[in-house]
Amino acid sequence: MDDAKKIVEALKPDDPEWCRCYAENERIIITVEVEKLGTLLSALDDYLMNIKMCEKILEVL
């Protein structure tokens, strides 16, 4: 399993209802649908920090 798939699987339990995350060609694809831009910015910031942490863990492994 490539790193993108590992990250997506690790984040699945935290997927919010407004976000769909999947791996494709060793890339992480995130699609987002929200009504308010402020909601998008704060929630997506948290989600991207989780991805960043997963990448750091994979570097160590």
Side-chain angles (χ1 to χ4, degrees), residues 21-50:
C21 181
Y22 59 96
E24 183 177 283
N25 298 323
E26 297 186 29
R27 293 183 179 198
I28 298 169
I29 310 297
I30 302 170
T31 57
V32 176
E33 292 183 32
V34 295
E35 292 183 21
K36 296 181 181 180
L37 184 58
T39 302
L40 169 64
L41 293 176
S42 62
L44 197 52
D45 182 59
D46 289 342
Y47 199 78
L48 293 175
M49 289 303 293
N50 288 339

